[in-house]
Amino acid sequence: MIFSRERILLLKLVIFGATGGTGRQLVEQALERGHTITVLVRHPATFPLEHERLTVIEGDVRNLANVEAAVAGQDAILSALGTNQRGPVSVCTDGVERMLKAMNSSQVRRLLVVSAYGAAESHHRNLYNLFVWASMKEKMLDKERMEDLLQHSDVEWTLVGPPALTNGPRTQHYQTGPDLHIAVTSHISRADIAEFMLRSLDDRSTVGKA
């Protein structure tokens, strides 16, 4: 156990979606906090990070055996899955479905997942949602299916639904809540999303919440 301004429990974490912008931030900040990290990526040779507490496994999140191998022995799972693919997509739904099955067989309980504001319960009829659904409907449908899987599961889940993501710095100045007002200009950095997720790992008030 190490101490700074807050108590940090040292955990074994598996991170899915580690090659994306938010996933990369999760890996870097988790290592910075002293956690031991496993990532599952399709092309390990191109993964840019190396660390004595980082294990890189080759595999695909749609392959249950690969996901089970990555999840076994972990304390918690962090998912930042996403895709730039056009048309119908299912990577978030497929990935979380495999994670839930792997959690059941490995007795892992904690799962934090990046979704998106505008999916499921936050699918309000406001200007932000009208824009998001018009521009990325298939991705939002994938997020909604993923959220439904989590909300009908018995794991200790937390859904994180950010507005537009930026590559800005980690500021630690942001608002969280179950029903924030999101405007077309609302945004948050991927670094702050990662900071919030890691800080929420042992925050019981976020369990079962979006």
Side-chain angles (χ1 to χ4, degrees):
M1 186 179 294
I2 61 176
F3 295 88
S4 59
R5 289 179 300 173
E6 59 178 322
R7 187 178 70 173
I8 301 176
L9 298 175
L10 299 186
L11 302 172
K12 292 184 291 183
L13 306 174
V14 58
I15 297 174
F16 293 97
T19 58
T22 303
R24 172 81 173 266
Q25 284 290 331
L26 281 169
V27 175
E28 291 179 349
Q29 292 187 39
L31 290 171
E32 178 185 313
R33 284 173 169 246
H35 300 307
T36 299
I37 309 303
T38 298
V39 300
L40 179 73
V41 297
R42 285 178 293 177
H43 307 291
T46 63
F47 192 68
L49 302 178
E50 294 184 4
H51 196 281
E52 61 183 3
R53 283 184 280 104
L54 173 64
T55 299
V56 181
I57 299 177
E58 181 176 3
D60 192 308
V61 73
R62 291 187 173 94
N63 184 302
L64 179 57
N66 293 164
V67 176
E68 287 177 330
V71 169
Q74 305 295 339
D75 295 313
I77 300 173
L78 298 161
S79 174
L81 290 175
T83 181
N84 291 322
Q85 179 182 332
R86 295 179 179 272
V89 294
S90 62
V91 64
C92 293
T93 306
D94 294 343
V96 165
E97 181 185 39
R98 274 50 162 195
M99 289 176 214
L100 291 172
K101 289 180 178 178
M103 292 174 75
N104 182 58
S105 59
S106 298
Q107 302 300 306
V108 177
R109 298 294 302 157
R110 190 72 172 109
L111 172 60
L112 294 91
V113 177
V114 178
S115 184
Y117 182 82
E121 293 180 0
S122 61
H123 190 171
H124 308 304
R125 294 187 63 83
N126 57 22
L127 188 59
Y128 180 92
N129 277 341
L130 288 174
F131 172 77
V132 168
W133 278 85
S135 60
M136 43 196 285
K137 177 181 177 180
E138 297 298 338
K139 293 180 183 178
M140 297 301 290
L141 287 171
D142 186 25
K143 299 287 190 184
E144 289 201 334
R145 292 190 295 267
M146 174 191 73
E147 290 200 16
D148 185 66
L149 284 176
L150 283 176
Q151 293 185 3
H152 286 89
S153 74
D154 62 355
V155 305
E156 297 177 355
W157 56 267
T158 298
L159 278 163
V160 182
L165 294 173
T166 75
N167 291 320
R170 177 175 27 166
T171 68
Q172 300 185 56
H173 296 293
Y174 49 81
Q175 291 180 291
T176 64
D179 193 25
L180 297 180
H181 174 71
I182 301 295
V184 174
T185 57
S186 296
H187 62 275
I188 187 170
S189 70
R190 292 176 172 86
D192 276 337
I193 287 291
E195 193 273 339
F196 172 71
M197 292 177 72
L198 291 166
R199 182 164 56 82
S200 299
L201 278 166
D202 62 347
D203 182 354
R204 301 300 302 173
S205 70
T206 67
V207 173
K209 302 289 181 60

